Amino acid sequence: MIRNLKILLIVVGALSLQQAYAAGEAEGDQHENEEAEHAGEENQSRQIHLTPEQTELLSIQTVAAAKGRAGAIVTAPAEIQYVPDRVAEVGPLLEGKLTGLAVDLGDRVNKGQLLATLNSVELARIRSRLISLEARKEAAESDYNRERELQGQGISSEEEFLDAKAAFFETKAEYDSVREQLAVYGSESSGDSGGLAQYALRSPIEGRVEQMHVRLGQTLSPSDTPFIVADASVLWAILQVSESDIDQISTGDEVQISSRDSSSDRFHSGQVSWVSSMLDEKTRTIPVRVVLESPRGDLRPNTYATARIMTESEASLPLVPDDAVQTIGDDSVVFVPGDEKGAYKAVPVTLGKEANDWIEIKSGISANTEVVSVGAFDLMSAITASGRSAAHGH
């Protein structure tokens, strides 16, 4: 019932487009011959232009046609994971009491952006020590410079000069050590505007706040990591490839990852970037890594998916998911995006073999052509229904 309602809404839009097209043709060229008229109608009947609301209703998705042979696809389970240097567990390096929160769950943050503030007694003690050492260093440096000048004039002894020099360099080394310590803690040497005890907890990477298990007044220790900041725009898929299939896999092979939700398959393309040399003795599988881009954030880390590896061969053909191929009249077609946003047209194709839920395309499109992978059936139904309605109207 819901699918029929969706199609009905699209049909209304498609009919409006066809009527506008027909009116424009009649007004622009009254002398067009009957054969050309039918050809134009046929071409128009294979196109549809969706509004943004209709596109969202049908959840239209596209995928680039892969390259390979349907019978040579290697299927393997996969787990989606964060890239290690794109996720950070963030917590204080000193014990402190949480006094303020600067972000909320889901916020996008830049590298170095403030997450929270704490009051740390230990940090106040270290900063006080630094201030004291700075004063001692300046005094020691002054004594050292004076003794060096006096020695040059023959007034001061060598022993007095060396004592002043040693005192200066010892104090300077201690001062530099405390400054480095504060740099490790990520705190300004002289303290924030909130005082010597204020500790600024900042994000070490750019990303989104995915976890925030804190509350005001809570005492945090160096072992606590209440914040997780992650960048999920690039992810890893770790495949577990069967021992019997691993010899077919090479770095650079194209991979299609599909994660199933309640309504459809969503495809993400990537390439094999690493093949392990170690075999898991229990599962008899070998880990294979695929790097995936997910700019829309529709891939979720720590979830499971199915990977199809398009092993290369000299006779490779364009490959599309089986749901991408539909039938209009006597033609097998795939839908490709038009020149305008929301526009789609049915392209006739010649089919090859079908295996592993993918179909070879012998002619009609080339590899890497964007085809509709989710929503193709609805587009076909809408075009077919609108064609019948238009014919009935005549």
Side-chain angles (χ1 to χ4, degrees):
M1 181 67 181
I2 294 176
R3 177 181 288 274
N4 291 338
L5 178 60
K6 288 182 178 180
I7 294 172
L8 177 61
L9 292 172
I10 305 307
V11 167
V12 173
L15 281 173
S16 298
L17 286 172
Q18 288 181 349
Q19 290 166 358
Y21 172 82
E25 285 294 306
E27 190 175 303
D29 189 0
Q30 296 289 338
H31 305 289
E32 189 174 41
N33 62 57
E34 190 72 20
E35 182 179 351
E37 221 173 82
H38 285 308
E41 289 177 1
E42 173 69 15
N43 182 60
Q44 181 66 15
S45 69
R46 296 282 178 96
Q47 301 181 38
I48 192 167
H49 197 149
L50 305 180
T51 65
E53 293 77 13
Q54 292 170 336
T55 302
E56 184 177 355
L57 183 67
L58 293 184
S59 300
I60 299 293
Q61 295 178 46
T62 64
V63 65
K67 185 179 181 182
R69 297 305 295 260
I73 294 175
V74 173
T75 304
E79 182 180 0
I80 309 302
Q81 299 180 2
Y82 284 116
V83 178
D85 64 356
R86 289 176 176 263
V87 59
E89 297 182 354
V90 187
L93 298 177
L94 290 166
E95 183 175 287
K97 186 179 291 291
L98 190 70
T99 58
L101 291 170
V103 295
D104 196 2
L105 283 171
D107 286 354
R108 297 289 307 181
V109 295
N110 297 318
K111 182 178 180 179
Q113 185 170 330
L114 182 68
L115 301 178
T117 54
L118 301 88
N119 274 346
S120 172
V121 174
E122 185 176 357
L123 183 61
R125 179 182 59 80
I126 296 172
R127 282 176 169 160
S128 296
R129 184 183 175 200
L130 183 69
I131 294 172
S132 175
L133 284 170
E134 185 173 16
R136 286 172 51 193
K137 181 178 72 72
E138 291 176 358
E141 184 176 15
S142 178
D143 289 344
Y144 167 56
N145 291 333
R146 184 178 63 257
E147 288 296 332
R148 181 171 55 185
E149 184 178 347
L150 291 175
Q151 187 197 33
Q153 297 174 1
I155 300 173
S156 177
S157 67
E158 180 73 15
E159 182 178 2
E160 289 174 323
F161 167 70
L162 292 176
D163 286 344
K165 180 179 179 180
F168 167 62
F169 280 102
E170 180 180 352
T171 305
K172 183 178 182 301
E174 190 175 0
Y175 172 80
D176 291 341
S177 175
V178 174
R179 283 195 64 183
E180 288 294 325
Q181 189 178 6
L182 285 173
V184 170
Y185 297 147
S187 301
E188 293 82 351
S189 60
S190 59
D192 295 299
S193 58
L196 296 178
Q198 183 164 298
Y199 185 178
L201 192 60
R202 302 182 183 277
S203 175
I205 64 170
E206 179 181 352
R208 194 172 78 158
V209 179
E210 298 288 356
Q211 179 175 299
M212 194 174 74
H213 294 322
V214 290
R215 60 186 182 274
L216 292 177
Q218 179 180 357
T219 298
L220 299 175
S221 70
S223 62
D224 294 323
T225 52
F227 293 92
I228 290 183
V229 178
D231 176 8
S233 62
V234 178
L235 296 165
W236 284 355
I238 302 300
L239 286 51
Q240 298 299 328
V241 178
S242 171
E243 179 184 11
S244 59
D245 293 330
I246 198 64
D247 288 340
Q248 303 178 56
I249 311 301
S250 302
T251 56
D253 282 349
E254 185 176 347
V255 182
Q256 293 289 341
I257 303 290
S258 60
S259 55
R260 183 169 291 277
D261 60 23
S262 59
S263 60
S264 61
D265 280 330
R266 299 173 181 269
F267 293 93
H268 294 266
S269 302
Q271 289 185 331
V272 173
S273 63
W274 169 76
V275 178
S276 175
S277 59
M278 298 182 65
L279 174 70
D280 187 313
E281 296 183 358
K282 292 183 178 180
T283 63
R284 309 304 297 180
T285 59
I286 296 173
V288 172
R289 183 182 67 193
V290 176
V291 178
L292 301 171
E293 292 189 2
S294 180
R296 294 179 299 177
D298 51 353
L299 270 176
R300 298 183 182 278
N302 305 318
T303 59
Y304 294 97
T306 299
R308 294 177 177 86
I309 307 167
M310 315 297 175
T311 58
E312 290 285 349
S313 70
E314 295 181 358
S316 292
L317 292 171
L319 292 168
V320 300
D322 53 6
D323 288 342
V325 178
Q326 302 296 325
T327 302
I328 298 180
D330 296 329
D331 293 333
S332 295
V333 301
V334 297
F335 286 91
V336 302
D339 296 332
E340 298 179 2
K341 189 173 182 180
Y344 299 92
K345 60 182 178 179
V347 176
V349 293
T350 303
L351 306 183
K353 294 181 180 179
E354 178 179 358
N356 299 302
D357 301 323
W358 287 69
I359 301 177
E360 298 173 354
I361 305 298
K362 291 183 177 180
S363 65
I365 62 170
S366 58
N368 296 320
T369 299
E370 288 288 327
V371 301
V372 174
S373 58
V374 175
F377 176 82
D378 292 330
L379 292 178
M380 178 274 296
S381 300
I383 286 178
T384 303
S386 65
R388 289 197 300 266
S389 299
H392 181 71
H394 289 300

